[in-house]
Amino acid sequence: MKLFALISLSTLISATPVKRQVTASIDNLFKNHGKTFLGVATDEKYLTVQQNAAIAGQDFGAVTPENSMKWAAIEPSRGVFNFTGADYLVNWAVTNGKSIRGHNFVWGEYLPNWVLNITDAQTLIDVLQNHITQVLNRYQGLLYAFDVINEPLNQDGSLKSTHWTQVIGPDVFRIALEAARAADPSVKLYINDYTLDWNNTKVAGMVNLVNSLNPPGQPPLVDGIGSQAHLNAGEAPSVHGGLVALSEAGVDIAITELDIPGAEPSEYQTVVQACISVRPCVSLSVWGIRDPDSYRPTTNPLLFDESWQAKPAYNSIAGVLNSPSQPSSSSAGGSASGAGAGN
Ligand SMILES: *[C@@H]1O[C@H](CO)[C@@H](O)[C@H](O)[C@H]1NC(C)=O
Ligand SMILES: *[C@@H]1O[C@H](CO)[C@@H](O)[C@H](O)[C@H]1NC(C)=O
Ligand SMILES: *[C@@H]1O[C@H](CO)[C@@H](O)[C@H](O)[C@H]1NC(C)=O
């Protein structure tokens, strides 16, 4: 059944125009620097609030489903798929001309008990392949990218032990990527993780993981690395070094879940500038619209306040994007470092 037959779009989209929230779309300005989009995480419960939909529509170029495409939301029991929330998000994005970053398939968290109960490798492989195929077939041709693998690494760069790696082993990553590629070859396939915000052993481990999945002479399985960038205050200046080191993997890079406690304008500006100046960094997404809807709400880490007003950080991004483009740098040009452990 085709997606567009499922929901009457006109009932979903508010008819009342909302006053423009800010003076400039940071998405449009970001694209002027040759980037793909500046996006935002959201979902049905936010987009049904008119002010959120207006901001997502006017100021951002892509959406990531914050929760609606996670495993427990999509397949709460085996073979029983619930696409209600994901359909809403995808319909909203298509109707409003936004790109979509799907999120996610192989993650150690947010798994229903029926998945955790599977201890037979072949059964879990069958379940994983079916899940990926069902989701990507439903949204065939509509997704820009998908975080096929989420948070696979420990801080020392070794592979994290999860239900997936315990039952299937490290081959789970190749199996998932191949299933995603087969189901929709038009989707860019990402590995997404946190604390890639400076040049560290986890960054080296990520480069090694991507290299192991993209062996020379074969079509690559991994198209991009997502750096979540849930920063601590003060970390923004190191982000550039992390992006340059990730560039060694030779795939796209996206900043996928940016938020910064306190939303200091200069820190947001520094992160946006880092993505502008590192050529493989193709896109940037922030993890929510309004501070009170952030997953760490007490830190006020986002670009809009509780009254949906653009914060100084928003305007500082617009300011840096309005200045002339800096020359791009790519990787340092050397061979990939061998510092990662355990892959
Ligand atoms: C499907 O998911 C939606 C949330 O998007 C939820 O409200 C609904 O109860 C779910 N349906 C079933 C049958 O579980
Ligand atoms: C998971 O296994 C436990 C223990 O065998 C069982 O009690 C439970 O019902 C199972 N849950 C699901 C969702 O299959
Ligand atoms: C990152 O750190 C490693 C290990 O110290 C080093 O070899 C590499 O040159 C660094 N990369 C960048 C881009 O600074």
Side-chain angles (χ1 to χ4, degrees):
M1 198 174 181
K2 271 292 165 203
L3 173 66
F4 296 108
L6 297 175
I7 300 176
S8 168
L9 294 172
S10 58
T11 64
L12 302 181
I13 308 301
S14 167
T16 314
V18 173
K19 188 170 165 290
R20 197 173 167 70
Q21 304 293 321
V22 291
T23 54
S25 159
I26 51 176
D27 173 61
N28 287 341
L29 295 173
F30 198 55
K31 285 170 174 162
N32 290 344
H33 290 259
K35 302 300 178 180
T36 306
F37 54 71
L38 204 158
V40 66
T42 189
D43 253 329
E44 177 174 11
K45 71 173 175 174
Y46 306 120
L47 289 171
T48 45
V49 177
Q50 197 181 352
Q51 291 94 329
N52 289 326
I55 289 170
Q58 291 163 356
D59 302 325
F60 294 101
V63 289
T64 304
E66 183 178 17
N67 287 310
S68 63
M69 285 188 193
K70 290 174 180 170
W71 194 294
I74 289 271
E75 194 180 0
S77 43
R78 186 170 178 179
V80 178
F81 287 81
N82 182 350
F83 289 107
T84 307
D87 280 356
Y88 188 96
L89 187 283
V90 171
N91 271 318
W92 187 91
V94 170
T95 304
N96 287 277
K98 307 302 176 186
S99 301
I100 303 164
R101 295 195 85 264
H103 175 84
N104 61 63
F105 290 136
V106 180
W107 187 27
E109 296 179 37
Y110 214 71
L111 289 171
N113 283 337
W114 72 266
V115 176
L116 294 172
N117 274 4
I118 298 171
T119 53
D120 175 65
Q122 190 55 52
T123 304
L124 194 57
I125 289 170
D126 291 345
V127 159
L128 177 64
Q129 289 172 329
N130 182 54
H131 183 91
I132 291 172
T133 304
Q134 295 283 337
V135 173
L136 293 184
N137 280 353
R138 187 172 186 88
Y139 303 124
Q140 191 82 38
L142 300 179
L143 307 180
Y144 164 79
F146 214 104
D147 294 326
V148 175
I149 300 164
N150 197 41
E151 303 180 355
L153 296 173
N154 293 310
Q155 195 58 43
D156 69 359
S158 60
L159 288 185
K160 199 179 274 178
S161 176
T162 68
H163 184 59
W164 300 110
T165 60
Q166 286 159 21
V167 175
I168 300 176
D171 214 26
V172 65
F173 302 129
R174 181 188 60 77
I175 290 166
L177 289 158
E178 285 179 352
R181 187 71 87 206
D184 188 346
S186 72
V187 181
K188 292 182 187 299
L189 308 182
Y190 272 70
I191 306 179
N192 189 49
D193 215 327
Y194 58 88
T195 53
L196 306 175
D197 308 310
W198 66 100
N199 182 15
N200 58 36
T201 52
K202 191 169 181 177
V203 164
M206 177 62 84
V207 171
N208 287 348
L209 178 59
V210 172
N211 285 340
S212 74
L213 290 161
N214 287 350
Q218 291 177 32
L221 282 176
V222 181
D223 299 311
I225 296 168
S227 174
Q228 294 183 0
H230 293 294
L231 300 185
N232 296 309
E235 283 181 347
S238 69
V239 167
H240 179 267
L243 295 178
V244 172
L246 288 172
S247 302
E248 295 282 346
V251 296
D252 287 351
I253 301 169
I255 293 172
T256 53
E257 308 186 9
L258 178 63
D259 51 16
I260 309 176
E264 177 62 38
S266 66
E267 293 204 71
Y268 264 102
Q269 202 172 325
T270 297
V271 174
V272 171
Q273 187 60 53
C275 185
I276 294 288
S277 67
V278 176
R279 189 184 299 278
C281 185
V282 294
S283 71
L284 187 155
S285 300
V286 295
W287 203 244
I289 295 171
R290 269 193 336 156
D291 284 334
D293 299 325
S294 165
Y295 90 110
R296 38 183 188 171
T298 60
T299 70
N300 297 325
L302 296 175
L303 299 177
F304 292 82
D305 68 16
E306 62 185 354
S307 306
W308 292 276
Q309 296 305 303
K311 293 163 63 179
Y314 184 99
N315 296 314
S316 80
I317 292 173
V320 74
L321 292 174
N322 269 319
S323 62
S325 190
Q326 307 294 312
S328 280
S329 63
S330 181
S331 71
S335 60
S337 118
N343 291 314

